[in-house]
Every structure is written in structure tokens, then in C-alpha cells.
Amino acid sequence: MNLLGGMTNKDVLELGCGAATLAKKLAPSTRSYTGINGSQKMLELALKNLAGIPNVKLTHASLETYDFKKETDDCIFSQLTLHYLEDFKQICENIYNSLRTGGEFVFSVQHPVLTSAFISGGGKRENWGSG
């Protein structure tokens, strides 16, 4: 959350908002908050978590099919979502085009070590496997 800095009076887009647990803290100070998620069930949880916050919009869409608007966002962020996408270059182009001048893109991805299996020999990692 520290990486995001101040969100006061900013138009914010979250890619892969899930249940909107971070948005619950951020959205009240933003000018607008839009959360996108591919799971309808997660959006239902997000709607409950963000109940009563007037500047919130939730959209059911995959990140690959979402209709990014040109120069509409001051901040776009994503937590542990982008590493699932096949076309990282395209999503980055969409994000870049959606950001206003001076806008920020903040994201985190899961390190492959956490999702990979490895084959050990003699107590030393010698060969990484995929599962």
C-alpha cells in the first residue's frame, strides 16, 4: 500500500480486484475507483466490501477483453494478477494508453519460486520443474 502513495482525488483502476480488500481502504479517498475482475463471485464479495462507498464501479471482465479508455486514469494498480496473462506486452500497452500524463502504474507479481517445484539432489537445487 505504501507504493501506491496518496490516492486523494485520483481516478484509480485496479486490475484483478478480487474481493476488493485493498480498495476498501483506498476507494473512500479517491475521486473514482474502478475494479475489474474475471470472477463474478469475487465481484459479489467486492460489492459487499465496498458497500456505501459512492465513487465505486465494478466491472466483470477479463483483463484481455476489458475496454481500456484512453487517458482516463491517474493510477492503475494490480496485485498478484499480471503473471497469469499470456500477452504481457499488450496489457502494458493498454495500461500506458489508459494513464493520464504523469499517471502511475504499480503492480506486483508472484515470484516463480513460489509456484514452481524443484528437483533436489544432495541438498542443492539443481533442476527446476513445473509441477
Side-chain angles (χ1 to χ4, degrees):
M1 192 146 139
N2 291 338
L3 290 175
L4 292 173
M7 293 288 113
T8 304
N9 294 321
K10 290 186 177 181
D11 295 309
V12 176
L13 174 63
E14 183 175 9
L15 307 177
C17 67
T21 52
L22 181 56
K24 188 173 183 176
K25 297 173 186 172
L26 291 176
S29 66
T30 66
R31 179 175 30 241
S32 71
Y33 166 87
T34 301
I36 303 165
N37 204 285
S39 166
Q40 186 62 42
K41 288 189 180 225
M42 292 305 284
L43 284 177
E44 289 168 11
L45 289 172
L47 191 60
K48 288 178 186 175
N49 280 333
L50 300 174
I53 303 172
N55 56 339
V56 168
K57 177 183 175 188
L58 297 172
T59 301
H60 182 230
S62 73
L63 300 185
E64 294 92 344
T65 61
Y66 178 71
D67 184 22
F68 286 85
K69 305 295 183 204
K70 189 172 173 106
E71 298 180 12
T72 55
D73 302 300
D74 298 302
C75 179
I76 299 175
F77 71 96
S78 180
Q79 301 179 84
L80 304 173
T81 302
L82 299 179
H83 55 277
Y84 293 110
L85 302 176
E86 287 188 38
D87 193 348
F88 186 71
K89 181 180 179 200
Q90 183 61 57
I91 196 74
C92 286
E93 288 175 9
N94 292 340
I95 290 165
Y96 178 82
N97 291 330
S98 187
L99 285 169
R100 292 186 177 117
T101 301
E104 298 175 301
F105 174 40
V106 179
F107 69 98
S108 64
V109 293
Q110 192 166 27
H111 194 283
V113 165
L114 300 176
T115 57
S116 296
F118 66 90
I119 301 166
S120 296
K124 180 177 166 186
R125 294 179 184 168
E126 296 174 352
N127 185 8
W128 292 89
S130 62

